[in-house]
Amino acid sequence: MDYNETRKYIQKISSYGSVLGLESIRELLRRLGNPQDQLKFIHIAGTNGKGSTLAFLSTILLESGYRVGRYLSPTVFCYEERFQVDGAQISEEELAACMTVAADAAAEMVLDGWDHPTVFEVETAVAFLYFLRKKCDIVVLETGMGGSTDATNIVTTTQLAVITSISMDHAQWLGNTLEEIARKKAGIMKKGIPVVSADQPAGVLEVLQEEAGKRNCPFTRVDMPSVKIAYSSYHIQTFQYKKYKELNIFLPGLYQIPNAALAVEVVEVLRQLGWRITDRQLKEGLMNTRWPGRFTVLSENPVMIMDGAHNPDAVLILKKSLQYYFTNAKFIYIMGVFADKEYDKMAEIIAPMADRIFTVTPPDSARGLPAEELAQAVRRYQPRTEAAGSLEEAVELSIKAAGESDVIAAFGSLSYLGELAGIVKRRKEEIHD
């Protein structure tokens, strides 16, 4: 397949839906020679903070001289972002080459009576093929939705498992309580392999420690009382953690400091495992990390921020960050979500703080909640809510509604944030022409 054929193939198999379980991915990878068995992994599961933690860790390892693969979803700007080596995304030619190999194996499976692998299973196989071709020293691997039955959990050469903040999300798949969800996420733990966790609610922590104990996994968690914020703005944040007296990150949002502290704890364990990472490389890795779509400032006067907050816990943290950075501002929101999210709870948390809200329909036609339907739900908490006919219209309406000292926050599904960033960039270029 060439690149255009590859994208058509991806679109076609995307309609096959999601299936939890490892039988299909195991068979697909067996036919591909099990490329994952020749790689080493840091495996990350959790509800919020997976992508940011992945970004911190992979940048630190890159600063330390290692060749680092990143596998992540969803993406913000383009499909190829899913597969990265040393911070650079896969080329169109390499994607087509690896996808062709995986597609041929999937087609053989169908001929032999198997169901066609899901799009996530095929993408995971492509990632392993690509990272092996690129001779990665280590791969920072983000789970999809779950843990134990997630396609990424086929890996057996995990160096270390990381559990980021756990909250309610995908309840229909993962469970109706935090403890049930935690048990599913804990499925990435492998016998005897170290586990590092973010700070968690007491019930979640108990489950994670229990699951780690069953597998004889050394267990470490972030010590939040040791986190001291020295300075925090929406441009730079400085904090202390344990022996580190000055750590700087350029990722804004109050939630990023706990994510960075989690990365520091992971580095401490990696050192014990023999990975060579100096304090200077740790500090430079944190400082050089960039992660679009997480409290990303798109423009000033008025300030426009995009954030991938897509569940109640993430929205609560976004609300706190907005209140912290912009004490006297008026807030205008652009909001677009998937239909399977707890958007009513999200609106209850954050909508009353807004002066105006414009809703949009995310581009994923299968999962995107129509803008008018979202607007109806949000109006219960902020009557000044309007469904925009397009994302361009939402941007224009929000800028028109905002004064120079006000703040526009676009949040919800990551799926529309890349397009939003493009619209804002083009608009600024037109103004300056």
Side-chain angles (χ1 to χ4, degrees):
M1 295 187 290
D2 61 19
Y3 178 71
N4 289 331
E5 290 167 334
T6 296
R7 291 311 305 268
K8 286 176 184 174
Y9 172 72
I10 295 163
Q11 190 173 10
K12 177 186 172 185
I13 65 174
S14 294
S15 65
Y16 297 163
S18 298
V19 178
L20 295 180
L22 301 179
E23 280 187 37
S24 181
I25 185 72
R26 183 176 288 113
E27 178 62 19
L28 177 60
L29 290 169
R30 184 190 69 77
R31 292 170 184 251
L32 294 170
N34 286 314
Q36 78 283 2
D37 290 346
Q38 300 174 64
L39 296 163
K40 295 176 180 177
F41 298 94
I42 296 173
H43 204 179
I44 304 177
T47 308
N48 297 313
K50 294 197 300 288
S52 299
T53 303
L54 175 149
F56 282 128
L57 288 173
S58 55
T59 309
I60 291 166
L61 286 161
L62 178 59
E63 289 287 339
S64 303
Y66 294 104
R67 171 158 279 207
V68 186
R70 291 180 176 182
Y71 180 51
L72 57 115
S73 64
T75 58
V76 177
F77 293 106
C78 70
Y79 179 82
E80 288 75 28
E81 283 177 70
R82 290 173 196 274
F83 320 96
Q84 298 180 26
V85 172
D86 292 348
Q89 66 194 34
I90 193 171
S91 69
E92 293 182 358
E93 294 75 20
E94 288 169 314
L95 174 63
C98 291
M99 190 67 73
T100 299
V101 175
D104 288 345
E108 289 174 7
M109 285 176 63
V110 173
L111 287 174
D112 291 341
W114 290 78
D115 289 335
H116 195 290
T118 66
V119 66
F120 188 65
E121 289 167 341
V122 173
E123 288 167 346
T124 301
V126 166
F128 296 152
L129 288 170
Y130 178 57
F131 297 143
L132 184 58
R133 286 186 178 194
K134 301 297 278 189
K135 297 182 171 61
C136 289
D137 297 310
I138 193 161
V139 174
V140 189
L141 183 68
E142 181 183 340
T143 62
M145 180 167 48
S148 55
T149 55
D150 187 86
T152 62
N153 204 33
I154 197 68
V155 299
T156 58
T157 54
T158 308
Q159 303 293 289
L160 186 146
V162 181
I163 310 292
T164 67
S165 172
I166 290 177
S167 59
M168 294 302 297
D169 202 9
H170 299 296
Q172 69 273 37
W173 296 99
L174 302 178
N176 294 308
T177 68
L178 285 178
E179 289 76 15
E180 287 177 7
I181 292 172
R183 212 169 290 281
K184 288 269 175 56
K185 303 282 188 184
I188 69 165
M189 298 179 186
K190 302 292 187 293
K191 187 176 180 180
I193 297 300
V195 177
V196 183
S197 172
D199 189 47
Q200 306 283 2
V204 168
L205 184 62
E206 190 177 320
V207 168
L208 295 178
Q209 289 175 320
E210 178 191 329
E211 293 296 324
K214 287 178 187 176
R215 299 167 174 83
N216 296 313
C217 297
F219 187 87
T220 308
R221 69 179 169 112
V222 170
D223 178 30
M224 282 307 293
S226 295
V227 174
K228 310 292 183 190
I229 300 175
Y231 176 77
S232 180
S233 74
Y234 63 91
H235 294 298
I236 185 173
Q237 303 192 81
T238 303
F239 69 102
Q240 300 175 16
Y241 185 65
K242 294 187 174 178
K243 70 174 185 177
Y244 300 99
K245 301 307 179 190
E246 186 176 325
L247 299 170
N248 296 298
I249 59 173
F250 284 89
L251 298 190
L254 295 178
Y255 52 88
Q256 293 296 6
I257 289 177
N259 290 336
L262 176 58
V264 173
E265 287 289 359
V266 171
V267 167
E268 294 294 335
V269 176
L270 285 172
R271 285 169 168 167
Q272 294 169 23
L273 296 173
W275 295 84
R276 298 178 309 280
I277 303 167
T278 66
D279 285 358
R280 181 183 62 80
Q281 290 163 341
L282 166 61
K283 290 180 177 182
E284 289 187 358
L286 289 175
M287 196 163 55
N288 291 333
T289 299
R290 302 293 182 269
W291 200 237
R294 285 75 175 177
F295 214 91
T296 302
V297 179
L298 298 177
S299 65
E300 307 262 5
N301 304 319
V303 172
M304 181 180 282
I305 288 161
M306 65 176 187
D307 189 275
H310 61 276
N311 56 48
D313 269 32
V315 161
L316 178 60
I317 297 168
L318 170 61
K319 175 185 175 182
K320 289 178 178 177
S321 296
L322 290 169
Q323 290 172 325
Y324 181 85
Y325 294 131
F326 308 103
T327 49
N328 298 311
K330 184 174 75 176
F331 296 105
I332 293 96
Y333 298 156
I334 299 172
M335 185 176 180
V337 298
F338 285 158
D340 57 359
K341 297 299 179 182
E342 294 182 285
Y343 52 86
D344 191 76
K345 286 185 181 177
M346 293 165 61
E348 184 180 5
I349 291 165
I350 201 166
M353 193 173 81
D355 182 74
R356 295 281 300 279
I357 301 175
F358 301 100
T359 60
V360 296
T361 307
D364 188 322
S365 57
R367 295 177 65 198
L369 184 71
E372 184 52 53
E373 198 173 329
L374 176 58
Q376 287 174 13
V378 175
R379 284 187 192 112
R380 293 175 55 196
Y381 309 102
Q382 171 47 275
R384 286 161 58 83
T385 298
E386 180 182 339
S390 66
L391 191 50
E392 289 90 343
E393 183 184 3
V395 170
E396 291 302 323
L397 290 171
S398 62
I399 290 173
K400 204 172 286 184
E404 280 198 4
S405 60
D406 297 333
V407 176
I408 300 166
F411 62 93
S413 171
L414 277 168
S415 65
Y416 80 88
L417 297 185
E419 184 185 351
L420 174 82
I423 291 167
V424 174
K425 182 182 178 185
R426 287 193 299 274
R427 192 179 184 281
K428 286 197 288 189
E429 288 169 351
E430 287 167 6
I431 290 170
H432 290 124
D433 278 352

